[in-house]
Amino acid sequence: MITNHIHQLGTLEVAYYVTLAALALKVLPFFWRRFFSSEKKLPPPPLQGPASESWLFGLHQYISNSPDVGAMHEQWAEEYGPAFIIPGLFGSKKVMIRDPKAVAHFYSKETYGYVQTRLAKVFIETLFGRGLLWAEGDSHKRQRKALSPAFSNAAIRRLTSVFYDSAYKTKEAWDARLEAESDTVIDVQAWMNHIALDSIGIAGFGHDFGSLNGTQSAVSNAFNSLGSEDVSYLSNIVVLLSPAFPALLKLPTSRNEMIRNLKKSLSDIADELLKRTRQEKGGEVGAETAQEKSIIGMLIKAENNGVSQEEIVAQMNVLLLAGYETTSISLTWALIELSRQPEKQERLRNELASFRADDPSWDDLMNGLPYLDAVTHEILRLHPPVGETTRVAAEDDILPFAKPVTLSSGETVSSLVIPKGTVVGVPIRAMNRSEAFWGEDAKTFVPERWLDEDKMGGAKDISGHKHILTFSDGPRICLGRAIALTEFKSVLSVLIRNYRFELPEGPKTIIERHRSILPRPKVAGQQGALVPLRIQRVE
Ligand code: HEM
């Protein structure tokens, strides 16, 4: 995920290349030893693939300037088959696999056999701490076990009201605007950010960031800054080099200041949580507070206060990093796709209206609303916020394939030897949108495909949540996926029942990709990641 972040920093590119050139001249030996040497012992398998543009950059510039990397991966898969090689920085190579059997094997060996690249790992640790996303092997197993009870169905059922509350706060604000005029144009992306941030704050650690009430928080500022293209050259270089030189994070740049504020504000919230839990232990038992019900509140209780303050802050960071942008981007895409196809928006509204007068319960959201479920999974399939998994082999491995793989010699094989140190990638976006798996309409928003799973065709061979790789798979599969589905469905159900959405220039409005921490949609021509939609109240 973070590796993708590095690839998607947009106009940071200039800073990036200058930085790389400086590294090449001055500190390459250090950089090489630290990040690459132990990852590349034997050469990767001799596969076909696109030609490199230069030894220094490989295809990096080409890929990071592309509006749709998934489409490029798919085109290469068609040309070269289920496994191919992409040239990277400094002559490095990445083996991309797009075969369901190989992909399932790869994910099943995560955290021991396949691990974060060293660069990604240092980056996560420096900026976000040693939480679940950073951990590997036994440490990952322990942390995941400690957090898992907070993600059980029973725990999530109790959190459902948090997401409805966020949706209704949004409704209150929108209704106030609609009182003055019968329809109005609203940047829905900003509101989905507010909903996602406030929800993860309350559900995650019982803290209300208040962004739905217009409060600016250190956390939202830090996220905006990390994803923004509009920051100083120095700040960009510092963030890009910080994994190699953590001391750079101490320089007084504006971005460093924001990262420090983010860490400080999370650490204050963690202190308060720990204090409260200790008080409860001292005998002040009352009604369950939002903090106790929260994910981190449950972690502290379950660990009987044995968990360190540092780990709590790291897990809070993980929840923000993993749960904020992903959910906000998915909800924004849902409103866009439903505006592009008003008849599908109406079909969803009818299902919700015919259901019951009040809001669906958690069980209803999960099992009682088939079209809402279909819309949800179609958005997650078509617009996965995380487009690729990249890992490095921590040990030698043999990847089994369902379809024959053609080597550069022309020979075909049914398995590939992956030497320790080989970088391996799974093109999530390309697999989710591939015509080979999903049929001719794979690139189109067709929720109906989920209503009859017999029509799913080749996609059935893909493992992962409902045959999509949006939540990844294996021991690292998104721990928060049930929360994400609950949040997505509850918020969308309130918005669609109450409002009609239209794109400013009608269904043909052009949507572009905005470079941010994760790629976001934006309406073409807007400054920044804006998605203004015309909304009208449903009477
Ligand atoms: C649509 C929304 C979401 C998507 C598409 C998504 C996707 C993902 C993906 C792809 C990963 C694997 C990352 C990697 O291995 O590099 C992941 C991990 C994770 N996600 Fe999510 N996520 C979403 C929402 C959430 C939410 C709301 C939460 C928490 C409340 C959450 C918590 C986590 C955690 C804790 C991990 C780390 C799991 C581990 O390393 O064992 N996610 N997510």
Side-chain angles (χ1 to χ4, degrees):
M1 184 151 78
I2 287 298
T3 325
N4 293 343
H5 160 55
I6 295 167
H7 287 291
Q8 286 152 4
L9 286 169
T11 52
L12 303 187
E13 232 80 56
V14 178
Y16 193 41
Y17 296 141
V18 170
T19 304
L20 286 174
L23 278 169
L25 290 172
K26 289 193 171 172
V27 289
L28 192 55
F30 164 81
F31 194 74
W32 189 270
R33 254 195 332 273
R34 188 151 183 192
F35 296 119
F36 292 103
S37 66
S38 67
E39 290 179 0
K40 284 183 71 222
K41 295 248 159 54
L42 287 171
L47 289 163
Q48 309 179 80
S52 174
E53 291 195 323
S54 76
W55 179 85
L56 189 59
F57 296 124
L59 280 181
H60 176 80
Q61 286 155 297
Y62 184 51
I63 290 173
S64 52
N65 288 333
S66 160
D68 187 350
V69 181
M72 288 166 64
H73 285 147
E74 199 180 342
Q75 193 194 320
W76 287 329
E78 266 162 37
E79 211 170 320
Y80 304 113
F84 54 92
I85 277 198
I86 301 183
L89 299 169
F90 302 118
S92 64
K93 294 189 163 102
K94 176 159 66 172
V95 173
M96 296 299 294
I97 50 172
R98 203 211 56 163
D99 176 277
K101 191 169 171 188
V103 167
H105 172 94
F106 162 84
Y107 277 126
S108 74
K109 295 191 82 173
E110 270 229 68
T111 91
Y112 289 95
Y114 291 100
V115 297
Q116 303 273 15
T117 62
R118 210 184 292 188
L119 183 59
K121 204 166 155 123
V122 182
F123 198 90
I124 298 175
E125 182 184 356
T126 314
L127 292 181
F128 300 99
R130 296 183 167 202
L132 190 62
L133 273 169
W134 170 89
E136 311 277 5
D138 289 348
S139 160
H140 177 266
K141 213 183 228 174
R142 181 193 65 75
Q143 293 191 28
R144 184 139 177 149
K145 195 166 161 220
L147 274 167
S148 288
F151 290 87
S152 67
N153 286 350
I156 297 169
R157 189 180 269 116
R158 293 188 312 160
L159 289 174
T160 310
S161 61
V162 171
F163 309 121
Y164 278 126
D165 285 350
S166 294
Y168 280 107
K169 279 188 195 162
T170 306
K171 179 176 177 308
E172 214 173 286
W174 289 6
D175 281 351
R177 278 178 68 168
L178 283 163
E179 244 159 50
E181 38 197 338
S182 62
D183 70 28
T184 188
V185 173
I186 285 181
D187 170 28
V188 296
Q189 181 131 265
W191 282 94
M192 297 310 112
N193 284 347
H194 300 332
I195 289 178
L197 181 62
D198 286 4
S199 299
I200 194 67
I202 298 172
F205 28 89
H207 177 82
D208 186 357
F209 288 112
S211 65
L212 284 162
N213 303 325
T215 308
Q216 294 257 340
S217 68
V219 172
S220 59
N221 289 344
F223 268 84
N224 290 341
S225 157
L226 278 173
S228 159
E229 304 183 351
D230 191 23
V231 284
S232 77
Y233 180 84
L234 178 66
S235 285
N236 289 334
I237 291 197
V238 164
V239 167
L240 286 164
L241 283 180
S242 61
F245 307 104
L248 286 178
L249 285 175
K250 297 205 166 69
L251 288 178
T253 68
S254 56
R255 207 172 236 178
N256 281 353
E257 177 82 353
M258 294 208 185
I259 291 168
R260 257 197 307 278
N261 287 345
L262 167 76
K263 286 187 168 167
K264 164 91 175 64
S265 110
L266 288 183
S267 162
D268 290 347
I269 299 168
D271 278 344
E272 195 199 323
L273 257 173
L274 279 167
K275 206 166 76 198
R276 275 184 157 266
T277 320
R278 284 184 191 128
Q279 272 171 7
E280 297 297 337
K281 263 197 115 193
E284 282 176 43
V285 183
E288 199 180 36
T289 63
Q291 288 172 328
E292 285 172 283
K293 260 202 286 187
S294 73
I295 297 168
I296 298 292
M298 284 191 68
L299 170 73
I300 296 172
K301 256 196 195 167
E303 295 283 282
N304 205 15
N305 291 343
V307 58
S308 72
Q309 206 260 10
E310 190 197 345
E311 184 169 333
I312 290 171
V313 174
Q315 305 303 17
M316 285 160 91
N317 265 314
V318 167
L319 294 181
L320 283 170
L321 183 64
Y324 163 48
E325 282 216 297
T326 45
T327 319
S328 155
I329 291 170
S330 304
L331 279 165
T332 306
W333 270 117
L335 296 178
I336 293 173
E337 291 294 355
L338 291 168
S339 301
R340 276 178 171 163
Q341 299 199 49
E343 68 292 350
K344 301 199 171 172
Q345 190 182 141
E346 205 52 41
R347 180 168 178 186
L348 177 57
R349 188 170 294 115
N350 288 341
E351 178 181 87
L352 293 163
S354 66
F355 186 68
R356 268 211 319 252
D358 53 351
D359 290 317
S361 66
W362 184 78
D363 294 275
D364 298 331
L365 287 173
M366 292 303 113
N367 301 311
L369 293 152
Y371 201 65
L372 177 63
D373 190 68
V375 167
T376 306
H377 286 98
E378 185 64 351
I379 290 295
L380 292 171
R381 180 191 73 81
L382 202 56
H383 302 292
V386 180
E388 180 181 331
T389 303
T390 305
R391 299 286 186 257
V392 60
E395 54 199 39
D396 295 343
D397 188 30
I398 296 178
L399 275 179
F401 282 76
K403 294 239 163 86
V405 177
T406 309
L407 302 178
S408 42
S409 62
E411 186 194 344
T412 54
V413 292
S414 60
S415 62
L416 281 180
V417 175
I418 302 290
K420 178 179 172 181
T422 308
V423 176
V424 180
V426 175
I428 294 177
R429 182 173 159 91
M431 287 187 75
N432 275 4
R433 299 166 61 103
S434 157
E435 280 151 34
F437 297 119
W438 296 92
E440 277 178 8
D441 57 6
K443 307 275 186 297
T444 322
F445 176 67
V446 185
E448 290 69 18
R449 77 176 82 243
W450 295 95
L451 300 175
D452 183 359
E453 291 208 14
D454 288 344
K455 289 198 184 136
M456 207 166 262
K460 276 209 174 126
D461 295 336
I462 303 174
S463 60
H465 172 87
K466 294 224 179 195
H467 315 297
I468 53 177
L469 292 171
T470 307
F471 293 117
S472 121
D473 197 11
R476 268 224 134 90
I477 191 170
C478 174
L479 184 54
R481 64 195 184 284
I483 294 192
L485 294 174
T486 307
E487 177 169 357
F488 185 100
K489 289 181 175 187
S490 51
V491 170
L492 196 63
S493 73
V494 172
L495 298 183
I496 295 296
R497 250 186 344 164
N498 287 285
Y499 306 100
R500 202 162 267 119
F501 296 86
E502 275 174 45
L503 280 156
E505 309 295 328
K508 297 263 178 279
T509 304
I510 296 173
I511 304 295
E512 291 176 344
R513 188 178 88 142
H514 174 85
R515 287 155 187 271
S516 160
I517 296 185
L518 296 171
R520 286 177 170 275
K522 77 175 227 181
V523 166
Q526 296 289 329
Q527 291 291 318
L530 302 189
V531 181
L533 297 185
R534 175 162 294 112
I535 65 166
Q536 271 178 313
R537 219 173 355 219
V538 175
E539 298 305 338

